Amino acid sequence: GHVATSPTVEVTVENGIVRLDPQDTSLNIDANNYSSHATLWGYTWPDYQPANAILLKFDLPALPSGARVDEATLHLALVQSDTSADASYTMTAHKIVGKSPIISRATGYTADGQNARTPNGCCSNGVPLAQGDLSPAYDTRVVDKTVGVKTWTITAMVQDWLTDPSSNAGMVINPDVSAPRDRFRFFASVDHADVGLRPFLQIKYSIDNIPPTVAVSAPLTGTTVSGTVNVAAVAADNTGVA
């Protein structure tokens, strides 16, 4: 049970993979916090309305200078599904906007145990369930009933967070609001007994060390000019020019 921290080791990385564990909880249509539960819940109740949503928050590392995020993938391990004949269940990944949650205090009513979420008409008994504080979907996944890892591609979301760290308030995986009542998908949380099933975010990145080339193409060298002159240039780069 003792813990120690290794001294820092400095290396130069040209490309790499970062795997991040989240803070997580389920939001329910009540005032309770569920951050210590072993599962994360996506549940539809009543018909076509969310009764649960999955809330995750990641502390992003400082990537090396010049790093470009090429891919960011959220991994959740499905451990239980409803017993209906419906084989698929559509779940969407959203960025949280406007409210910064504290995972250990977040509920269906509040982001941090005190500050109310934006009111909206999403859910039973007027519980906001963070639905008024979400971006449009960054990715949509049709989740079948096969137990195992399901993934959402959230590359653009992570790129947003790295560009503006203040925008990293976490994310929500929403249940299927096109489904009838009592359809659900449950996933392992960071408190699940099986460590291999716990959720994580995998970020693949690369380093661009090649500078662009640029040259003025007009006027030509040695040209005598006067008055208003149009200046033109050409530029090229191995990944793109802005």
Side-chain angles (χ1 to χ4, degrees), residues 34-233:
Y34 297 93
S35 59
S36 62
H37 279 236
T39 52
L40 300 168
W41 315 322
Y43 201 108
T44 305
W45 185 90
D47 295 344
Y48 319 121
Q49 290 185 336
N52 289 115
I54 297 168
L55 173 60
L56 308 111
K57 195 171 184 180
F58 296 90
D59 293 327
L60 297 185
L63 296 180
S65 177
R68 178 184 63 238
V69 173
D70 299 315
E71 183 180 84
T73 308
L74 174 68
H75 295 67
L76 296 179
L78 181 69
V79 294
Q80 186 180 354
S81 300
D82 61 76
T83 58
S84 73
D86 298 337
S88 61
Y89 191 79
T90 302
M91 305 186 75
T92 49
H94 305 260
K95 182 169 65 174
I96 295 176
V97 294
K99 304 286 184 180
S100 184
I102 297 176
I103 299 299
S104 62
R105 300 178 187 172
T107 72
Y109 284 98
T110 72
D112 54 9
Q114 293 182 324
N115 294 301
R117 300 185 184 279
T118 302
N120 65 89
C122 76
C123 308
S124 179
N125 294 324
V127 182
L129 206 72
Q131 300 301 297
D133 302 309
L134 302 181
S135 72
Y138 276 72
D139 193 22
T140 300
R141 170 71 192 254
V142 178
V143 181
D144 59 24
K145 294 186 175 181
T146 303
V147 171
V149 174
K150 314 299 179 182
T151 61
W152 285 260
T153 300
I154 57 168
T155 307
M157 188 185 303
V158 172
Q159 290 170 339
D160 291 347
W161 289 341
L162 288 169
T163 300
D164 180 10
S166 67
S167 70
N168 181 11
M171 63 176 294
V172 162
I173 300 293
N174 258 352
D176 190 343
V177 295
S178 68
R181 64 191 298 159
D182 296 324
R183 273 55 172 181
F184 64 85
R185 297 292 186 270
F186 293 171
F187 302 87
S189 77
V190 294
D191 294 297
H192 196 277
D194 188 338
V195 176
L197 296 180
R198 294 175 182 177
F200 66 92
L201 173 63
Q202 180 171 283
I203 301 173
K204 294 182 179 180
Y205 67 91
S206 58
I207 307 296
D208 179 11
N209 291 319
I210 302 174
T213 59
V214 62
V216 174
S217 57
L220 299 176
T221 299
T223 302
T224 300
V225 299
S226 62
T228 301
V229 177
N230 290 327
V231 178

